[in-house]
């Protein structure tokens, strides 16, 4: 009886290890994950960066339809600055109810923050009436990415943020 059980177990293991005719292959490299650029048509929306609740530090671009920027990449410095002011004000207001329901959040302090944006050859200069040195790296990236995107469709714009306790940057959006 014991020999029959042992033979049955050995036969089951042999069948499983045979793999049903599927041959082993080497690892196939598929490359990096796909990257999709999300750039709103400036008259149609504002691009903000919020944090995915599924990942502690993953930023996701969100287009706020119906809340267009006042300026665009081709606009004069004053108009583009007004657009960046609006984008950052929306960012500090936090995600909408629909965005929160979709699992987005912000690491920036919630509430009304007085801010100004100045555009120069060195990039975007943001001044806040709030402390900035204690912001997490994710909160900083939310600021850098939204400010750079508000200025141009290129997130490579350098951003410097000055707060009541010091300066962060110049830095670039890492998304």
């Amino acid at each position: 009886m014991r020999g029959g059980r042992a033979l049955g177990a050995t036969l089951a293991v042999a069948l499983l290890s045979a793999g049903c005719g599927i041959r082993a292959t080497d690892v196939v490299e598929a490359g990096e994950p796909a990257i999709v650029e999300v750039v709103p048509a400036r008259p149609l929306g504002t691009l903000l960066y919020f944090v995915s609740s599924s990942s502690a530090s993953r930023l996701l671009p969100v287009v706020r339809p119906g809340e267009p920027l006042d300026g665009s990449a081709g606009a004069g410095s004053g108009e583009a600055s007004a657009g960046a002011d609006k984008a950052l004000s929306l960012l500090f207001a936090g995600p909408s109810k629909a965005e929160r329901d979709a699992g987005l959040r912000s690491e920036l302090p919630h509430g009304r923050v007085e801010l100004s944006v100045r555009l120069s050859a060195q990039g975007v200069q943001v001044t806040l009436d709030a402390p900035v040195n204690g912001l997490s790296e994710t909160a900083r990236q939310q600021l850098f990415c939204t400010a750079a995107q508000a200025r141009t469709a290129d997130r490579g714009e350098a951003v410097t943020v000055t707060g009541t306790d010091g300066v962060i940057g110049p830095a670039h959006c890492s998304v």
Side-chain angles (χ1 to χ4, degrees):
M1 190 69 140
R2 287 179 85 184
R5 285 186 189 168
L7 180 60
T10 303
L11 183 59
V13 169
L15 286 173
L16 288 175
S17 66
C20 302
I22 299 172
R23 295 183 184 179
T25 62
D26 291 335
V27 174
V28 177
E29 294 293 329
E32 296 295 318
I35 297 175
V36 178
E37 290 291 324
V38 178
V39 180
R42 293 217 185 264
L44 301 177
T46 302
L47 189 63
L48 309 171
Y49 285 83
F50 289 116
V51 184
S52 169
S53 292
S54 64
S55 174
S57 61
R58 183 171 176 217
L59 290 186
L60 295 176
V62 175
V63 177
R64 283 272 178 94
E67 298 181 29
L69 291 175
D70 297 324
S72 66
S77 179
E79 291 173 353
S81 178
D85 283 356
K86 181 171 184 168
L88 291 173
S89 293
L90 291 171
L91 182 68
F92 274 99
S96 67
K97 180 178 180 342
E99 292 161 349
R100 285 190 309 273
D101 290 347
L104 298 174
R105 62 183 175 77
S106 178
E107 287 202 6
L108 291 167
H110 184 71
R112 190 154 179 85
V113 174
E114 292 296 320
L115 59 92
S116 66
V117 178
R118 186 174 57 87
L119 308 176
S120 70
Q122 289 76 37
V124 182
Q125 312 290 321
V126 179
T127 304
L128 304 173
D129 71 342
V132 294
N133 284 326
L135 294 175
S136 68
E137 184 57 31
T138 302
R140 291 175 184 210
Q141 283 298 314
Q142 282 185 264
L143 277 171
F144 298 149
C145 293
T146 300
Q149 188 75 41
R151 166 98 190 266
T152 68
D154 177 15
R155 292 181 316 270
E157 189 81 40
V159 178
T160 304
V161 181
T162 303
T164 57
D165 63 345
V167 177
I168 56 175
H172 298 275
C173 176
S174 67
V175 175

